[in-house]
Structure formats: C-alpha cells, structure tokens
Amino acid sequence: MLGKLTLSAIPYDVPILVGTFIGVAVIGIAVLAAVTYFKKWGYLWREWLTTVDHKKLAIMYVILGLVMLVRGFADALMMRTQLALAYAGNPGYLPPHHYDQVFSAHGTIMIFFMAMVMMQALFNFVVPLQIGARDVAFPLINSISFYMTLVSAILINISLFIGEFSNVGWLGYPPISELQFNPGVGVDYYIWSVQISGIGTLLTGMNFLTTIIKLRAPGMKWMHIPVFTWTAFFACIMILTTFPVLTVSMALLALDRYVGMHFFTNDGGGSVMLYLNLIWSWGHPEVYILILPAFGVFSEIAATFSGKPLFGYATMVIATGIITFLGSLVWVHHFFTMGSGADVNTFFGIMTMFIAVPTGVKIFNWLFTMYKGRIRFEGPMHWIVGFMITFSIGGMTGVMMAMPAADWVVHNSLFLVAHFHNVIIGGVFFGYVAGLSYWFPKAFGFKMRDVWGKWAFRFWFVGFYLSFIPLYAVGLEGMTRRMNHYDNPNWHPWLLVACVGVFVLAAGVACQLIQFVLAAFDAVNKKPDALDLTGDNWGSGRTLEWSIPSPVPHYNFARLPVVRGLDTFHIEKELGRPAPVADLEPIHMPKYSAVGPVLGACGLLIGFALVWHIWWAVIVGLVVAFFTVVHRSANLDVDFYVTVEEIRADEEAFARRLAAAKAAE
C-alpha cells in the first residue's frame, strides 16, 4: 500500500538529521501554537493562503526564499567545515554518502528555491506597479505558480527526514543518476521537486510576459518601460524557451529510472552526452534568467541614489536583448573536455567571449550614471558598488574559461566553483538583496534600519572573498570539486581561510535576519522616522510605483496612470504632482481563491507518491486536481468591484499623509 516506503526510510541512526528534525519540529510546533493562540487561522486563510494579490504573493515568495537561504547556507557551512577538518587521515564529521547529499542539496536549493524564488518575488511585486497595472494578467495562475514552487521546496526538505536526497550534484548527471548506480529514492526526490517547481516557473514566465505586453498603462510605449521591467521581460522570454528543455530532461531521466528506458545509458543505446546538452542548454540560460533581473535592480538603484536619469537607457535595453540572444548559444563551454571537437569548441568559446561585451556596456552605463551624480550611499547603494567589483572579477574568470585550452586545465576544479559563486553571489544575490531593501518600504510602509543592512553588506563582501579566493588558488593547484577529504598539505591553509570566510558570511545572514526582526518591531511600535508617508520613500523615485501610497492598496492605482514618458513619476514631480482630472470609478478585481493551495497540496501528494511508488496516491492527487480545475472553470463568481467610497477614503488618507510630510519638511 505504501510502495517502497518503510520505517527503515527514516534515518534514526544519523545524529545530524535527528537533531535537525527535532529543531524543525520544535520551531514548527511553536509557530502553529502561536497562530492558534492568537486565533489567526481564519485571517491567514482569507488574507494570505488564498490570495491572488501579486503583492502578497511576492511577500510569501520572499519568506520562502529567506527560509531556503538559511537551509542552503547551513549546507554551505557543513561543506566548508568538513573540508577544514577532513585532512591528513582525519575523515571529518560527514560520512561520504551524507556529504554527497549535502553538496547536491546546496546547489539545488540555492538555484531553484532561493535565487529563482527571490526573482519571482521581485517580478510579482515590482512589474505590475512599474507598468501601471492593477494586477497580473492571470492572477489565479500566479497563485498556482507560487504553490507549485512552495510544495517543491517542501518536498526537497521532506527528503531530509524520510529517505534521502540526491547524491549526484545539483544537475543530476547520468550515469550515476541512473537506477543501475543509484537505486535509492534520492534522485527521485530531485527529479520531482525540480519538475514541479519548473512547472510553476513556466507559468510565471507566461504570466508576466503577457502582463508586460498587454497591461501597460495608457501612454506607456515600449521605450517608456522601466529597465527592471525590461529585464523581467527578457528573462520571461528565456524562461519560456529554456524551461521546457528542463522539463523534458527530467521527464526522460524519470522514464529511464521508472520504466527501464535508455535515453541516457550508453550500454542501452542512449547517450550521456544527450543529457549534458539538454541540461546545459537550459542551465546556462538559467544563469542569465537570474542575472538579468539583478541588472534591472541595479539600474533602478543607480538612478535613484545618483539623483539623475540612467545613462544610456536605450543601450541598456539593447544590451539586455543581446545577452538574451547570446545566452542560448554558449552552453557547450560547460563540457569543452567532452570531445565535441575543435570547431564546436571554438564557436562556443567565441560566443562566450562575445557575451561579455553587452555585460561590460551595462557596467559602464552604471558608472556613468553615478558620474557627477549626487550619490547617496544608503543601504541599497552599497550592494551595487560591491556587485560591480565582485561581478567584474567573476566575469573575467568566465572569459578565461571561455578559452577551451584554459578550460581544460581548470575544468571540474574548485576554480570553476569559485567562478560560479563569483557570478551568483556577486551578481544575483547582491542584486536581489539590494532590491529587497530598496522596495521593502513600498511593500510594508516603513523602512528597515539601514545600519544593519550596511553591516550585512560588509560581512557578505569581505566574507565572499575570504570564502572563494582560496578556492581559485586550490583549483589552480588541482583540487577537484565534490571531494570530501584530501591529503595535499598545500591545500589545507587555503581551506582553513575559506572556512573562516563562510562564518563571516554567516554573520552577514544574521545581520539580515536582525534587520527584518527590528523592522517588524518598528512597525508594531510605529516608529515615526521609519514610516513612509509619501510613497516616495527614498525621495528620488522615478517610476510609477513611487507615485502611490505605501503599503500599496490591493487595487494598486485609484486611477490608471497616464504615462508622460520615460521616468514618468519624475516628470510628474517636476510638474508639482498635478491633481488627477479623471473621476473615480469602481475597480474590477479578482476574488481570492482556494484553487492555488488545493492544487499545491495535490502536487505535494503526487510528488511524494511518485518518489515512493505509491500509485494509488498519485491517482488520488491527479483526480482531485482535475476536479478542482473543472469546478473552478464552472464557477462564475470569481470577481468583485472595489467601491468608489473605499477608493476615495484611501485617496483622502494618502492626501493627508502627503500634506503632513510636506509640513514637516
């Protein structure tokens, strides 16, 4: 009845996992008890769990991303401390099989469930506001996208306590991911968590591409679109062109494992190289899917805190388009050593070097934006300066590895690991954290304490170099990745420094968590200097999201804005923020729906049942999902109108806050 699931699947004999389970159980029980004690179950269900409001979904994405950041960072701590200890006969404290799961989970979580989640959070919160829309094109699908991602994250964490996770790395390379060499359930957990989250991401890409094309405010021409929204647009194009490849890759690997096919088994007529080409033709564009929105964040922040328009707006948009095109023509540089041939390697090496050109254009555009500007080094601005230094180093090492001859020397070494983190941490993570602190006052109506944000940046910046510069060194000396012990005395001092670095990074994570806790404390106590009264918290906002109250009403705009040009809110401020002339009208909005959480629960049941071969549960999940969709399709009571009275009351309250802020100047 329970397929392959037995009591032996619970790892009673692994102290680390038992301790982790106890900690998670205590925290979970405490949260459930608090919600019950304060009688918030109804509120959570009505206002959050069933929401289709893009802003609330964005906040839930952020919460999920932060939880998975802590989870993935715990894996990083274990890896670095293991390598600091496992030297000269000392095996360290992680058995090899457990260590393999740790590095596999770390990569999977940080890419799929931290970086992608934070990207979708920014899409959800910022894009509709920047284009003057009241919601996304498909609000219910937006909710379903979130729950597909959430249940995938839950599934990957269930593997900690029931069974095991994949031990073959974050991309699941065959042949070691095939059933012959990996008969456990770890690879199955990987396949279905990635597959379900990929469906959610595909829905997000479709939704936001449609939103940007169809729901822009009156007068917003293509070259009036803010740069962040442009980067979201191009990222969605890449999602729609590459995530189906990931879906096919996981499906074919599942067919190999579940029904004995041989797509990727050489001795059965398949080809391992087919998998590598498929997974990397998704995998390298995925890097650009993540980095382009971070570029958009830096563009918004550079203009805001330099007090001047973004330099070279048109070239920034064109460069983003070129990166989108070239990003799908470079994947073979991940396996120059696999015998593709000199001609193929040369083509992909040249394409990889070309893609550095539009990226360099962006760096110079940001520098020229700051040149002769009135720069204010508030929290978000620190991250862009750190990014330009760190990402440039990562870019240079990337161009170095674009040369096939050089790549043959450092392929599969810790040099590659250092380069990858140079780009992902210095570019993606710095960008998303900057965006989070930049738009936080717009989401909640109050600022975070800047001093803790600055300390978080300092720890992350210094900790990054302490953690990863040593990996460049040991990589050049020949240390391959995924080693859980070593005997070379030349490597040990470098890995000790890297271990110190990861604890410096941990201090940065702690500062960020403290910043969130103190922000909540300030909100509860209504600390006067933390409140955002004007909606333009930073005082120099240029785009539409800064023209409306903070926090944003559920309908976003009382009147659809009329766009006057690029940086339309800046133009309005120069005109004295003229009073609107259009009358207020009732606003058509979607009702909240339980379809998202129900389909999410079905997805979790189906994913878990597929892992353990519980076929009746798979059927139950599919049937419930089918009838849920049918019921929703037949339901006509799916929308409502916001009354003019409610809108007018919100507008009058905002006008009073603006007047009070102006009087206080």
Side-chain angles (χ1 to χ4, degrees), residues 19 43 115 271 290 298 441 482 500 552 635:
Y43 167 78
S271 171
L290 293 173
F298 293 132
R482 301 173 181 170
V500 171
V552 181
N635 183 10

Side-chain angles (χ1 to χ4, degrees), residues 70-343:
V70 173
R71 164 76 170 85
F73 193 84
D75 292 332
L77 279 170
M78 287 191 286
M79 286 188 288
R80 293 274 68 84
T81 51
Q82 165 71 13
L83 289 180
L85 296 172
Y87 163 67
N90 182 357
Y93 66 97
L94 289 176
H97 186 69
H98 191 182
Y99 182 82
D100 293 347
Q101 293 180 59
V102 168
F103 72 68
S104 302
H106 171 74
T108 307
I109 286 170
M110 287 303 204
I111 295 298
F112 289 101
F113 301 108
M114 189 283 289
M116 286 297 293
V117 165
M118 297 299 282
M119 180 197 78
Q120 291 177 85
L122 291 174
F123 281 13
N124 267 277
F125 188 79
V126 179
V127 169
L129 299 182
Q130 284 200 334
I131 65 173
R134 291 205 167 105
D135 210 319
V136 296
F138 308 108
L140 179 60
I141 289 179
N142 204 22
S143 169
I144 296 170
S145 300
F146 168 74
Y147 279 101
M148 291 299 102
T149 305
L150 174 64
V151 300
S152 301
I154 293 172
L155 189 63
I156 205 173
N157 282 296
I158 288 175
S159 70
L160 267 176
F161 312 121
I162 304 177
E164 61 182 9
F165 190 63
S166 169
N167 58 0
V168 298
W170 77 280
L171 288 178
Y173 280 7
I176 54 174
S177 58
E178 293 283 355
L179 197 63
Q180 177 183 357
F181 302 103
N182 219 311
V185 297
V187 175
D188 300 323
Y189 269 116
Y190 168 81
I191 289 172
W192 298 115
S193 60
V194 169
Q195 191 73 293
I196 295 170
S197 70
I199 293 170
T201 303
L202 262 174
L203 292 175
T204 296
M206 175 271 296
N207 203 348
F208 281 88
L209 192 68
T210 307
T211 300
I212 295 168
I213 293 172
K214 301 296 291 184
L215 297 186
R216 300 195 306 278
M220 181 172 280
K221 300 176 182 178
W222 282 101
M223 295 308 285
H224 295 162
I225 296 176
V227 172
F228 177 80
T229 299
W230 267 118
T231 59
F233 175 79
F234 284 114
C236 289
I237 291 175
M238 298 187 80
I239 287 171
L240 293 180
T241 55
T242 61
F243 264 78
V245 180
L246 176 67
T247 301
V248 169
S249 303
M250 293 298 106
L252 296 181
L253 183 58
L255 289 171
D256 274 11
R257 290 181 59 85
Y258 280 75
V259 296
M261 293 190 176
H262 298 282
F263 290 104
F264 309 126
T265 52
N266 289 344
D267 57 352
S271 171
V272 170
M273 285 305 299
L274 171 62
Y275 184 87
L276 264 67
N277 276 280
L278 285 173
I279 202 68
W280 280 116
S281 63
W282 161 81
H284 200 85
E286 165 70 358
V287 174
Y288 296 107
I289 289 169
L290 293 173
I291 197 66
L292 288 181
F295 288 167
V297 171
F298 293 132
S299 298
E300 303 292 342
I301 290 173
T304 296
F305 292 105
S306 299
K308 54 186 290 197
L310 180 70
F311 181 89
Y313 167 84
T315 58
M316 191 71 85
V317 174
I318 293 168
T320 306
I322 293 172
I323 291 172
T324 301
F325 174 72
L326 293 178
S328 297
L329 298 176
V330 298
W331 78 89
V332 173
H333 68 214
H334 289 278
F335 42 91
F336 280 147
T337 60
M338 297 297 181
S340 298
D343 293 342

